[in-house]
Amino acid sequence: MKQIKIDPITRLEGHGKIDIFLNDDGEVANTYFQIPELRGFEQFCVGRPVEEMPRITTRICGVCPEAHHMAAAKACDAVFHVEIPSAAKKLRSLLYNVFFAGDHTTHFYALGGPDFIVGPDAPAAERNILGVVKKVGLEVGGKVIEMRKRTQQVIKTLGGKQTHQITSMPGGVSKGISIEEAKEIEKHCEWFVEFGKFTIQAFNDIVLKNQAYVDLILSDTFSHKTYYMGLVDENNKVNFYDGQVRVVDPDGKEFVKYSPNEYLENVAEHVEPWTYLKFPFLKKVGWKGFVDGKDSGVYRATPLSRLNAADGMPTPLAQAEYEKMYSTLGGKPVHATLATHWARIIELLSAAEMALDLIRDPEITSTHIRNIPTETPTEGVGIVEAPRGTLTHHYTTDGRGILTKVNLIVGTTNNYAPISMSINKAARGLIKKGVEVTEGTLNKIEMAFRAYDPCFGCATHYMPGKMPMELRIYDSSNNLIDLINRNT
């Protein structure tokens, strides 16, 4: 049996490894994408006052604490049966859209983008943000850093801290903004919109004008026909902060639309003995294994999934790009996993536009920003869209508001089954008997999961200090025949 070990996985958050098994003909028989760490975050929240959750859950990960801050605050609102003021909802949504624009910037330029901007077969030492800057110039690199700096400034103003926000709480927010702060934030939001337009143009110039990249995006090796999930507003347009969860089938037809408190009627979790991460699936379809199609309950919750699940974008510039993407790729739904990068920057532009609309709303400086909870706490569910997928927080308390049960389904967890399937399909398509497994081959296998922007630090809450990944190949007798261990 041959084993190939990739160590580490690069340009993702967290830790994982891949085992590839070969049959007697030297072809890929099966693959396993393992997450070997135990998270257990829910259990040590039990016994804490529920109102602490918007501050505790931001510590689950340093990548998207804003997502957990918002999902926790919304779950607390539900636990206390309190409706937050309109201005508080707009302040939360403003923070969240600014966060989305900044987070998608990081993935496009530093994590996923190097595969296209520098090239999938380029030396590993060049497939990073420095390689991107070298390829596109220092001016572009400066824009990316400026985008991150500005988004963090706005998040600090609205959330109290740049990383672990503290302002959202049961019933609203603890801090509003002055007219002077609103004027300053508006300047940043105008800049965000221009940056979003610049990023769309960069994608057009570098990716869409390269036929080899378009062919790679549309190749069967990187395609799966699954269900798609995403939050939508009352007009079925993409919404990151609020709304109902909509799921469409592989043909693009609405399968179900449900409110947060109905999630357990629609989503269940499958477990395998070889990993600590669970595999969510659609309960009404059922778990049929790692297969796609209408009869399989496997679904995806990614930027592309959100666009597939919605009828459009809530802002005009993003809507135009939405229509262009589907026109270019053959209509809805798009099943090409690598097109997730395109959907991600359309969301970046939409988030920037939404933030600008919100900061120009006169109500954003209202001082009515919290309704004090008066009801006895019981149980509640909060759902937002994290950049990596639909994020669900479900809390149950006793009459004093002490947590007795906590359940989190985080963005990356939703996508564990399709990530595993994408790796399997990429390995089968790229590793053939008699063909040398090169560094470029391994990177293209990584591209299969990198499009999902997985965050296993969030899903497993583990920080080993590096991201080891092994690629192992076994023969049909279960003997290890090759191991590739790529160290940093």
Side-chain angles (χ1 to χ4, degrees), residues 389-404:
T390 310
L391 172 62
T392 302
H393 281 215
H394 181 188
Y395 308 151
T396 304
T397 74
D398 63 17
R400 301 170 299 154
I402 302 300
L403 286 159
T404 57

Side-chain angles (χ1 to χ4, degrees), residues 6-272:
I6 301 177
D7 188 1
I9 294 175
T10 58
R11 285 178 278 140
L12 88 165
E13 302 87 8
H15 178 190
K17 67 175 183 178
I18 293 175
D19 285 328
I20 297 181
F21 294 83
L22 301 185
N23 59 25
D24 289 339
D25 296 327
E27 305 289 341
V28 175
N30 207 347
T31 61
Y32 293 92
F33 181 39
Q34 293 179 284
I35 307 301
E37 305 84 23
L38 176 65
R39 177 171 54 133
F41 196 87
E42 293 99 327
Q43 189 57 41
F44 66 74
C45 292
V46 172
R48 307 289 301 185
V50 68
E51 63 268 24
E52 291 184 353
M53 291 299 278
R55 299 192 301 277
I56 292 176
T57 55
T58 57
R59 268 69 176 179
I60 195 170
C61 177
V63 176
C64 53
E66 294 88 349
H68 289 285
H69 185 56
M70 291 301 169
K74 292 180 68 178
C76 284
D77 296 338
V79 166
F80 285 102
H81 314 283
V82 60
E83 186 72 26
I84 71 172
S86 174
K89 184 175 180 180
K90 290 175 181 175
L91 285 166
R92 288 185 185 179
S93 186
L94 172 59
L95 186 159
Y96 205 57
N97 277 280
V98 171
F99 153 65
F100 242 81
D103 191 277
H104 278 354
T105 296
T106 299
H107 186 271
F108 179 73
Y109 286 98
L111 302 179
D115 292 326
F116 292 98
I117 297 173
V118 182
D121 294 313
E126 297 178 10
R127 291 196 309 268
N128 50 47
I129 183 63
L130 296 179
V132 170
V133 171
K134 181 181 178 182
K135 187 74 176 285
V136 301
L138 286 173
E139 182 182 357
V140 175
K143 281 180 178 287
V144 174
I145 294 172
E146 181 71 13
M147 178 68 176
R148 290 292 302 171
K149 177 184 176 182
R150 286 173 178 263
T151 54
Q152 289 300 301
Q153 287 176 343
V154 175
I155 289 171
K156 183 179 181 180
T157 299
L158 296 168
K161 292 184 177 180
Q162 288 186 350
T163 303
H164 298 129
Q165 295 73 37
I166 55 175
T167 52
S168 292
M169 57 200 310
V173 295
S174 61
K175 175 183 177 296
I177 56 174
S178 66
I179 293 176
E180 289 72 24
E181 287 174 321
K183 289 179 179 177
E184 190 65 26
I185 293 173
E186 182 178 359
K187 294 176 185 175
H188 290 308
C189 292
E190 290 172 344
W191 198 93
F192 299 156
V193 172
E194 293 304 312
F195 182 83
K197 292 159 63 176
F198 164 80
T199 299
I200 292 286
Q201 188 59 50
F203 186 84
N204 288 339
D205 293 341
I206 296 171
V207 179
L208 298 184
K209 291 183 180 179
N210 186 327
Q211 189 57 46
Y213 284 166
V214 175
D215 292 343
L216 184 67
I217 291 172
L218 292 174
S219 67
D220 183 64
T221 299
F222 295 100
S223 179
H224 275 294
K225 294 181 178 179
T226 64
Y227 288 81
Y228 299 99
M229 173 183 287
L231 272 180
V232 294
D233 64 16
E234 64 275 12
N235 298 314
N236 285 336
K237 301 294 181 66
V238 170
N239 194 301
F240 305 130
Y241 171 76
D242 207 8
Q244 288 188 297
V245 178
R246 192 186 197 201
V247 179
V248 299
D249 69 17
D251 296 325
K253 297 179 181 177
E254 181 176 299
F255 174 73
V256 68
K257 190 160 68 172
Y258 63 87
S259 298
N261 61 359
E262 299 171 317
Y263 87 99
L264 285 177
E265 300 171 23
N266 293 282
V267 176
E269 295 179 286
H270 173 76
V271 296
E272 290 283 347

Side-chain angles (χ1 to χ4, degrees), residues 320-335:
E321 296 301 324
Y322 170 96
E323 293 173 3
K324 178 181 178 181
M325 185 186 79
Y326 284 109
S327 174
T328 302
L329 299 181
K332 291 181 67 178
V334 167
H335 301 295

